[in-house]
């Protein structure tokens, strides 16, 4: 199916009483001048996309799929779907920045994405694979988000007051030009990852793996992510960890971050190779909780190879091993800035190295 339109290059769904199911369908090389290069869904009762493929589509928002909710309590299910090689491009005439090469969701939409692949999509602005905005909720399970690219949130972008939940998902090989190679969460949004999810081999200037102001991580592998200085070499910049501005390799958290039963391995950055945390709220303390986790073999060219705690951070480590990390200047295992509090209980900090202690 190939087509071109203003909204929904191939399929446009409008109307408050409409429920639509699309199954065993291929949408290829469709274009929307505005939103939803492949599929555009505005309001309606519900929408199911299953056992289908949306490829090579283009729009200014939602290169493959664009879904909005309004006040009708809509839902959407995306099951066993391939979203691949789609793009979101900036268009000054529409005033749209080029968000979500793959899927764009906003306005109280509830979306479930299961057993799907979101791969090789590109956004000129936010969320190469997916953007979820305002008060929407997106739940992802057994889904792969790989090799996508965006200026913020190479793989996934969460904005507004939304919640983005990943269960047993793989976020791999995505690139963010500015921040959040794997995932980027704006202040007000929440990111939850659990049940064997993996964030691996992603890259960005800041937060090679994850950037979020409110994040909970439980039983997750965050490994081999890279933070680098952009250097003006196009969307992905130049990959150089040693020239990072404030590059953070694994998890870049502020305000609140919780890491449980997880491993952070072989991440690289200038500061905070494994975890970089700072408090972005004045007159309060940011909270970093790490429990029953391994932080090992991470590298920082400057400070805090394992853990970096910025000012006004309250850090609590329980049953945590911080071992064999290396920093070029200070804090091979951990570095905490002024006006911070840190406490470790039943934990091991050993075999780390730093040039200046």
């Amino acid at each position: 199916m190939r087509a071109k339109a203003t909204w929904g290059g191939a399929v446009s769904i409008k109307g408050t009483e409409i429920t639509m199911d699309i199954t065993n369908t291929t949408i290829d090389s469709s274009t929307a001048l505005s939103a939803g290069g492949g599929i555009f869904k505005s309001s309606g009762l519900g929408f199911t996309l299953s056992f289908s493929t949306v490829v090579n589509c283009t729009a200014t928002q939602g290169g493959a799929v664009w879904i909005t909710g309004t006040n009708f309590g809509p839902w959407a299910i995306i099951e066993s779907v391939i979203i691949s090689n789609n793009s979101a491009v900036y268009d000054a005439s529409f005033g749209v920045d080029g968000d979500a090469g793959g899927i764009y969701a906003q306005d109280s939409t509830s979306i479930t994405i299961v057993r799907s692949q979101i791969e090789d999509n590109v956004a000129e602005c936010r969320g190469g694979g997916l953007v979820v905005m305002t008060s929407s909720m997106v739940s992802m399970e057994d889904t792969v988000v790989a090799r996508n690219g965006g200026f913020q949130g190479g793989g996934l972008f969460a904005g507004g007051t939304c919640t983005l939940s990943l269960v047993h998902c793989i976020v791999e090989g995505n690139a963010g030009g500015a921040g959040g190679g794997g995932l980027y969460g704006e202040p007000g949004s929440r990111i939850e990852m659990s049940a064997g999810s993996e964030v691996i081999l992603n890259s960005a200037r800041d937060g090679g793996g994850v950037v979020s102001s409110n994040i909970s991580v439980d039983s997750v592998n965050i490994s081999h992510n890279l933070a680098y200085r952009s250097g003006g070499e196009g969307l992905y910049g130049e990959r150089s960890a040693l020239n990072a501005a404030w590059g953070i390799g694994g998890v870049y958290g502020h305000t609140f971050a919780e890491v449980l039963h997880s491993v952070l391995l072989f991440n690289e950055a200038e500061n905070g190779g494994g975890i970089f945390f700072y408090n972005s709220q004045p007159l309060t303390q940011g909270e970093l909780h790490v429990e029953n986790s391994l932080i090992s073999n991470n590298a920082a060219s400057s400070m805090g190879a394992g853990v970096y705690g910025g000012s006004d951070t309250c850090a609590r480590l329980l049953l945590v091993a911080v071992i064999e990390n290396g920093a070029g200047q200070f804090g091979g295992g951990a570095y905490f800035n002024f006006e911070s509090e840190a406490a470790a209980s039943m934990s091991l900090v050993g075999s780390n190295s730093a040039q200046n202690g």
Side-chain angles (χ1 to χ4, degrees):
M1 181 184 295
R2 300 188 181 190
K4 185 173 183 179
T6 302
W7 295 282
V11 178
S12 183
I13 307 166
K14 298 182 180 181
T16 61
E17 301 299 324
I18 294 176
T19 299
M20 178 170 283
D21 297 335
I22 300 174
T23 187
N24 295 312
T25 299
T26 296
I27 299 174
D28 187 354
S29 303
S30 296
T31 299
L33 299 177
S34 180
I39 299 170
F40 175 91
K41 177 191 177 294
S42 176
S43 64
L45 295 177
F47 167 61
T48 300
L49 177 65
S50 60
F51 302 98
S52 296
T53 300
V54 184
V55 294
N56 304 316
C57 296
T58 302
T60 55
Q61 274 190 342
V65 179
W66 190 95
I67 303 173
T68 188
T70 68
N71 298 317
F72 300 101
W75 48 266
I77 297 174
I78 297 175
E79 180 180 1
S80 302
V81 172
I82 297 173
I83 305 287
S84 180
N85 285 296
N86 305 283
S87 60
V89 297
Y90 173 74
D91 189 329
S93 63
F94 284 92
V96 178
D97 292 332
D99 290 341
I103 302 169
Y104 186 97
Q106 68 173 19
D107 293 340
S108 303
T109 300
S110 176
I111 301 180
T112 301
I113 303 173
V114 294
R115 293 182 293 278
S116 295
Q117 298 166 243
I118 303 173
E119 300 176 336
D120 301 301
N121 304 285
V122 176
E124 289 191 2
C125 189
R126 302 177 296 186
L130 176 145
V131 168
V132 52
M133 294 294 294
T134 56
S135 56
S136 295
M137 176 176 287
V138 173
S139 300
M140 305 177 67
E141 185 173 350
D142 293 315
T143 292
V144 176
V145 181
R147 301 181 305 278
N148 303 283
F151 184 69
Q152 282 186 321
L156 307 166
F157 180 95
T161 57
C162 72
T163 299
L164 175 62
S165 173
L166 284 73
V167 176
H168 201 249
C169 292
I170 296 175
V171 181
E172 179 179 1
N174 303 283
L183 304 91
Y184 187 101
E186 281 188 332
S189 66
R190 177 171 171 80
I191 294 175
E192 301 172 351
M193 293 185 289
S194 63
S197 292
E198 297 186 354
V199 181
I200 55 177
L201 295 169
N202 302 284
S203 62
R205 184 185 67 193
D206 295 327
V210 186
V211 172
S212 178
S213 63
N214 187 341
I215 183 171
S216 177
V217 174
D218 190 345
S219 305
V220 175
N221 173 20
I222 301 175
S223 302
H224 295 279
N225 299 287
L226 173 67
Y228 58 91
R229 187 178 181 88
S230 179
E233 299 296 326
L235 177 64
Y236 305 115
E238 183 169 348
R239 301 177 66 154
S240 174
L242 298 180
N243 293 321
W246 279 93
I248 298 93
V251 175
Y252 180 179
H254 52 100
T255 308
F256 178 81
E258 181 180 59
V259 179
L260 309 174
H261 313 102
S262 297
V263 295
L264 293 94
L265 306 173
F266 297 102
N267 301 288
E268 298 181 34
E270 182 189 25
N271 297 291
I275 298 174
F276 180 100
F277 184 89
Y278 81 98
N279 178 35
S280 62
Q281 300 295 322
L283 305 178
T284 63
Q285 274 194 324
E287 296 183 28
L288 170 64
H289 300 160
V290 185
E291 183 176 333
N292 196 21
S293 296
L294 172 65
I295 303 172
S296 179
N297 287 283
N298 301 285
S301 61
S302 184
M303 297 177 288
V307 179
Y308 180 105
S311 59
D312 295 318
T313 293
C314 179
R316 297 289 183 264
L317 279 65
L318 174 65
L319 295 169
V320 176
V322 184
I323 56 175
E324 297 183 349
N325 304 283
Q329 295 185 27
F330 300 97
Y335 176 91
F336 291 95
N337 209 335
F338 59 92
E339 298 182 0
S340 292
E341 298 178 9
S345 178
M346 294 183 285
S347 297
L348 170 64
V349 181
S351 301
N352 301 287
S353 62
Q355 182 174 345
N356 298 311

